[in-house]
Amino acid sequence: MRLQSAIFMLEDTLLRGDGTAREGLEKVLSIFKMESVWMYAVTRGRSSEGESALKKAGLADYFRGVLAEDVALCPYDSGTMFERAMKRLHSDKPDTVVFAGRLNAIQNAKEAGFRTVAVRGAAGEDEWQAMKAAATETLERYEDYLAE
């Protein structure tokens, strides 16, 4: 199966606390774009704020859009949110991967039938260990993806 689409949790996998892109991320997104992987970001904030954050971080050109709780009317870390983003990408679950930085998001995405990548961010050591056990794949740092 080829990867057709990817869904990223904006606050947990794309941005640092200061709003800049996480180290190594842009190279990974560039590879995905070259391989025609369509990408969407999901956020707990408003869609307009998410779009502004992507622009400020220099990442907007990689994404087809941002889906937020105010539009989707569901929690940003829910299986329903990931399904709604997938539909906007005109993709199917076997061809879509969810990049998440929180254990509950990994669990919700898995329960909804998605492949998952746990991305280490703000998670403490105990949560990170649980994320690693629950996810399909893990990334401690985006540079690790490039080494594969």
Side-chain angles (χ1 to χ4, degrees):
M1 273 177 255
R2 109 173 185 61
L3 181 62
Q4 182 179 340
S5 60
I7 300 165
F8 291 81
M9 296 181 71
L10 180 67
E11 296 86 358
D12 302 326
T13 63
L14 299 175
L15 304 177
R16 294 185 190 132
D18 64 359
T20 59
R22 295 187 61 184
E23 192 170 335
L25 172 63
E26 208 160 347
K27 288 181 182 178
V28 171
L29 297 179
S30 180
I31 290 168
F32 282 176
K33 190 171 182 178
M34 285 185 333
E35 293 176 351
S36 299
V37 175
W38 289 11
M39 295 173 275
Y40 233 79
V42 297
T43 182
R44 70 174 69 101
R46 299 175 54 83
S47 295
S48 59
E49 294 166 352
E51 291 166 3
S52 293
L54 285 178
K55 285 179 187 172
K56 180 182 173 194
L59 303 174
D61 289 342
Y62 295 107
F63 290 86
R64 296 238 171 221
V66 175
L67 184 58
E69 288 181 341
D70 68 327
V71 173
L73 303 176
C74 61
Y76 84 115
D77 60 355
S78 69
T80 302
M81 177 67 88
F82 302 134
E83 287 172 342
R84 290 180 180 167
M86 177 196 68
K87 287 179 183 174
R88 288 176 177 228
L89 290 166
H90 304 287
S91 189
D92 297 310
K93 286 182 187 177
D95 303 322
T96 304
V97 66
V98 174
F99 286 77
R102 302 214 178 265
L103 177 59
N104 62 327
I106 295 288
Q107 292 169 332
N108 292 339
K110 292 281 284 194
E111 286 175 16
F114 288 97
R115 290 183 291 163
T116 57
V117 176
V119 179
R120 180 135 195 201
E125 189 58 34
D126 289 343
E127 183 178 9
W128 176 240
Q129 293 305 319
M131 288 168 62
K132 286 172 39 175
T136 310
E137 297 178 46
T138 61
L139 278 178
E140 183 103 20
R141 303 169 306 127
Y142 279 103
E143 291 86 348
D144 297 341
Y145 179 84
L146 301 172
E148 294 178 358

